[in-house]
Amino acid sequence: MTYEAQRDGEARKALSEHAGSRPLWRQRDFAVFWAAQTLSVLGDSFALIALPLLVLESTGSLARMGLLTAVGGAASVVAAVFAGVVVDRVDRRRLLIGCDLVRLVLYGVIPLVWLFGPQVWLLYAVLPLCEAVGMLFAVGYVTVVRSLVGTSQLTEANGRLNATAAAAGVLGPVCAGVVAAWTGPATAVGADAASFGVSALCTLFVRFRPRLVESPERTGLWRDLRTGVAFLREHPVLRSLTVLLFVFSFLTLGLNDLVIYHLKHDLGHDDGTVGTVMAVGALGTISGALLVARVRRRLGFGAVWTGSVALCGLAFAGIGWARGVPAVAALSAVFLACAGMAGTCSMSLRQEVTPEPLLGRVTSAFWTLHYSAAPIGAAVLTWAADRQGTAPVGLMAGTCCVLVAGAALFTPIRRS
């Protein structure tokens, strides 16, 4: 470590201790960053509804809607592999602003082109680029939180960011649907673009504390990619979390599809009921995110993470057997609240134990390994539910989640 790095580290520690003595709502830079991230998520939520509506309006094809989603998802997964390397090599503040500005321009082109007539090919070019840039932004966002708040406030800060992200995730599709109904989905995409411009402007006024400076020696790309994986492998708690979350994600990514299928196929309800259940589930996410810091302070990381995963399993096991909408909604809310608590704890722990210069690569490696098999799991889960029914499949997946929590008791997670 250079003298400048040591000096920056000492300055960051002093500022961190000073920041940690004040409530988050009184820390100007975190408040501005919080607003920027909420706007960014709101924009992503607009795109989630507006782009498929554009495809449907232009082609009337459900298959082409699915193809657009698949192309965007594939771009995000590929970008996740390299995002950490990029984040650790550049100025993170400029990266966040740049990502927002790129999405502002890319999404802003769509309503302009649509003035002269639909061009569906443009969506297949724009969305993968935006999803890749969005992954860069997401990894960068995780790394800068530690530059804004003290270590003791990381869990609370992540909880608040996740809570407002969940709220924006509910509000965004609703607003996008209203705007699309009034003025057309192209206008909703324009509103999405504008949200990224405001987010970039907010981030411009955020002051991040100094980063630790790496040695000027530059390693190769392949070695950089392996560095994040190596850190996860060598850290006993993160290694255990990566393995167990790999299994947990495989089992649970298809939950939303299972709930929708259960409500519409098994219980015979309409789309409005599905929307209501999803909204209640989002309230569970918000509640879990707001409570996680207090619960972790009282019980510790190991107990909160293990208990949350176990409760997720119990809720998942019961959803397929629930015969009433209130029961399905309540179980969905419990699952999402506990999943949010476990996820916030996991993110906060990575930020706490990872050296600053490695945080981007470790985050990228963790997400890539964590989610790599999840789409396969979702396909298997829904295929099995279609043939065997939601109740036995949900019971099996929920039981396996409880076993994941039980396995954590025999790892360093329990003592963390």
Side-chain angles (χ1 to χ4, degrees):
M1 182 185 296
T2 65
Y3 168 74
E4 290 79 6
Q6 185 176 6
R7 183 186 60 191
D8 287 346
E10 292 171 353
R12 190 160 66 86
K13 181 179 179 182
L15 287 168
S16 177
E17 291 172 351
H18 176 65
S21 63
R22 291 179 294 154
L24 288 178
W25 62 271
R26 292 186 58 191
Q27 298 182 35
R28 171 195 169 277
D29 291 314
F30 176 76
V32 175
F33 181 76
W34 190 5
Q37 301 325 299
T38 302
L39 286 169
S40 184
V41 173
L42 189 64
D44 287 334
S45 301
F46 259 66
L48 184 67
I49 297 297
L51 292 180
L53 285 177
L54 270 179
V55 175
L56 189 62
E57 181 185 76
S58 303
T59 68
S61 170
L62 178 62
R64 297 192 70 175
M65 288 173 62
L67 179 60
L68 181 65
T69 301
V71 169
S76 181
V77 171
V78 172
V81 177
F82 301 96
V85 176
V86 175
V87 168
D88 284 339
R89 289 189 174 191
V90 302
D91 181 275
R92 292 169 182 170
R93 179 170 173 270
R94 292 179 181 176
L95 175 69
L96 294 181
I97 294 173
C99 287
D100 274 336
L101 292 178
V102 168
R103 289 184 288 182
L104 164 66
V105 173
L106 289 174
Y107 281 127
V109 167
I110 293 174
L112 293 178
V113 171
W114 244 251
L115 291 174
F116 304 96
Q119 299 290 335
V120 177
W121 66 266
L122 181 64
L123 303 182
Y124 291 93
V126 166
L127 184 62
L129 291 173
C130 287
E131 287 294 315
V133 172
M135 177 55 67
L136 270 176
F137 183 95
V139 175
Y141 140 74
V142 170
T143 65
V144 300
V145 173
R146 199 168 71 177
S147 300
L148 288 170
V149 302
T151 302
S152 62
Q153 293 180 309
L154 276 172
T155 303
E156 181 182 0
N158 287 324
R160 294 194 178 196
L161 287 164
N162 290 342
T164 52
V170 175
L171 183 62
V174 173
C175 293
V178 172
V179 172
W182 285 353
T183 60
T187 305
V189 177
D192 175 19
S195 73
F196 291 116
V198 178
S199 174
L201 184 63
C202 290
T203 307
L204 183 65
F205 293 99
V206 177
R207 298 166 298 181
F208 297 111
R209 292 194 286 274
R211 286 176 57 191
L212 290 174
V213 181
E214 277 192 301
S215 166
E217 178 186 358
R218 187 60 64 88
T219 60
L221 178 61
W222 178 242
R223 184 174 178 182
D224 274 344
L225 291 173
R226 290 186 298 169
T227 298
V229 177
F231 185 85
L232 293 174
R233 185 178 64 245
E234 293 167 4
H235 193 285
V237 177
L238 294 183
R239 180 175 64 243
S240 302
L241 279 175
T242 304
V243 173
L244 293 178
L245 282 173
F246 176 89
V247 179
F248 182 77
S249 297
F250 179 88
L251 293 167
T252 60
L253 186 63
L255 173 72
N256 280 348
D257 293 333
L258 200 71
V259 170
I260 293 171
Y261 185 83
H262 182 55
L263 288 169
K264 293 181 67 67
H265 180 268
D266 299 341
L267 303 183
H269 291 283
D270 57 14
D271 292 345
T273 302
V274 172
T276 301
V277 170
M278 294 301 174
V280 173
L283 293 177
T285 302
I286 296 170
S287 300
L290 293 176
L291 290 172
V292 62
R294 184 180 305 173
V295 177
R296 183 183 173 186
R297 281 196 298 268
R298 181 180 295 271
L299 301 179
F301 172 86
V304 174
W305 192 89
T306 305
S308 295
V309 171
L311 287 174
C312 282
L314 294 175
F316 200 167
I319 286 175
W321 298 95
R323 309 316 299 174
V325 172
V328 175
L331 289 170
S332 298
V334 170
F335 178 92
L336 292 173
C338 293
M341 292 180 73
T344 301
C345 282
S346 174
M347 180 189 298
S348 301
L349 183 70
R350 281 199 320 277
Q351 292 167 329
E352 292 161 5
V353 304
T354 305
E356 179 71 23
L358 297 179
L359 190 53
R361 280 165 284 181
V362 171
T363 299
S364 180
F366 185 86
W367 283 356
T368 302
L369 295 172
H370 178 181
Y371 290 113
S372 58
I376 299 174
V380 171
L381 188 79
T382 51
W383 173 84
D386 186 47
R387 284 156 178 75
Q388 303 297 326
T390 55
V393 172
L395 178 62
M396 180 195 65
T399 301
C400 291
C401 290
V402 175
L403 293 176
V404 168
L409 298 176
F410 300 93
T411 71
I413 293 173
R414 182 175 62 88
R415 300 183 300 275
S416 176

